[in-house]
Amino acid sequence: MADSTEPGEERFDCQTLSQDAAPTTAQQWFERSLWAGHCYQYNAHAVRISYDGVRTLRLTHDIRDGIERGVASYLDGPPIVFERRGRIGRLGVAGGGGEAPPSPAGIAERAGAHYRLQLGGEERIANRRAQRLDIVPLDSFRFGHRLWLDRTTGLTLKQSLLDETGRPLETFQLTTLEQPRLHQGEIRLDRQREVPTDRWQLGWLPEGFTPQPADTRSARHGEGVSHRLYSDGLATLSLFVAPIDDVELLAPGLHRLGVSNAAVRHRNLGGQPRQLVVMGELPPRVLLRVADSLLWETP
């Protein structure tokens, strides 16, 4: 197969992980887990425990020609399959001549500003030795996380999303991890992307949330629909702004979508009624405040 590498394209050599010293601090374990999630090929089975009960899944992750492909297939209930194919993303967009680092490095570096990372004890998950890592938010604008990381590979064996009281909202746990293999090669990094232009701006976001370089175009959305992503590296919120005539109307207020929440507002912006939807695994009051802060720029 011909190599389709683009001129100036950046790559990450997964063999670096086999050469690095074993992590000793919470931040080092966190970054190792993020890189491992990109660089290991594996098959696994897992359970997802949430407000709607327990679901079982089959997972696969492989890499071909520097491109990752991950597939999650639900084994009970409706036959749902999710597939992700792409490159290692970047944390943020390149603005003002700045650089947007690869997401694992950027997330690990930034996490300490908004979360407290603490190592817990060693446990046994999926018949493997696991290092527990607690990620506690430093404010009330985001949820906490608890991770159990494979001592050998750094892969996440179990993770829980915790609400403001520390109660698990969702737990995702591997039950088997079959022959994880470190990729013998490189993975491509996403290209640098610029901040998209919009006629609106947000008057408030929780500190640390920045625009993300995601391609949010979709055949399901008309030209008048704007979709933007913002993240602090761990938590992500998704914002849709659209003329009311172009989308299916949702009732204003709060909606629950799994462990995510959605804040819906109908507002007169730019001379016409528009629907705003802000979604994310964040406290509902945060999503409502973001939606209410949107300002339309007059020409």
Side-chain angles (χ1 to χ4, degrees), residues 219-239:
R220 298 170 52 193
H221 303 147
E223 290 294 325
V225 179
S226 295
H227 177 203
R228 300 289 176 254
L229 295 175
Y230 302 85
S231 178
D232 67 354
L234 282 162
T236 299
L237 66 84
S238 188
L239 170 66

Side-chain angles (χ1 to χ4, degrees), residues 59-272:
L59 310 173
T60 63
H61 183 260
D62 58 28
I63 303 162
R64 295 189 180 180
D65 193 27
I67 301 296
E68 292 181 74
R69 177 176 176 268
V71 179
S73 305
Y74 279 94
L75 301 180
D76 46 22
I80 301 173
V81 178
F82 295 98
E83 179 174 348
R84 175 192 173 275
R85 188 189 302 267
R87 311 173 182 216
I88 296 177
R90 295 183 183 275
L91 182 62
V93 293
E99 294 294 320
S103 54
I107 292 170
E109 181 180 353
R110 186 182 297 183
H114 309 290
Y115 300 87
R116 182 173 66 253
L117 276 63
Q118 298 175 307
L119 290 178
E122 185 177 307
E123 301 183 28
R124 183 166 166 261
I125 305 291
N127 201 31
R128 301 178 70 93
R129 294 173 58 212
Q131 171 65 56
R132 199 184 87 188
L133 174 63
D134 294 328
I135 304 177
V136 182
L138 297 178
D139 58 35
S140 61
F141 299 137
R142 54 207 102 208
F143 290 146
H145 303 259
R146 182 167 293 150
L147 309 178
W148 287 261
L149 309 177
D150 184 25
R151 295 278 307 185
T152 301
T153 65
L155 288 167
T156 300
L157 300 175
K158 178 180 176 180
Q159 56 186 326
S160 292
L161 179 69
L162 310 175
D163 68 10
E164 299 99 321
T165 67
R167 179 176 62 90
L169 294 169
E170 180 180 66
T171 296
F172 188 89
Q173 177 176 332
L174 300 190
T175 55
T176 61
L177 177 61
E178 302 171 8
Q179 299 178 335
R181 306 171 306 282
L182 185 62
H183 177 56
Q184 304 295 306
E186 299 175 323
I187 302 182
R188 303 181 184 191
L189 270 60
D190 192 18
R191 62 180 174 86
Q192 298 276 355
R193 298 175 185 265
E194 300 298 324
V195 180
T197 58
D198 293 299
R199 292 288 305 279
W200 49 265
Q201 61 180 345
L202 291 175
W204 182 82
L205 275 171
E207 185 178 351
F209 278 77
T210 57
Q212 297 303 292
D215 186 353
T216 55
R217 292 171 295 179
S218 171
R220 298 170 52 193
H221 303 147
E223 290 294 325
V225 179
S226 295
H227 177 203
R228 300 289 176 254
L229 295 175
Y230 302 85
S231 178
D232 67 354
L234 282 162
T236 299
L237 66 84
S238 188
L239 170 66
F240 295 85
V241 182
I244 280 180
D245 293 339
D246 292 354
V247 292
E248 178 182 353
L249 280 185
L250 302 173
L254 282 169
H255 301 256
R256 183 167 185 174
L257 305 170
V259 295
S260 295
N261 295 295
V264 178
R265 290 287 191 248
H266 294 164
R267 296 175 54 191
N268 190 358
L269 299 166
Q272 68 177 123

Side-chain angles (χ1 to χ4, degrees), residues 8-23:
E9 180 182 66
E10 295 182 66
R11 295 188 172 213
F12 177 77
D13 185 357
C14 287
Q15 288 302 298
T16 302
L17 299 184
S18 65
Q19 301 163 7
D20 289 344

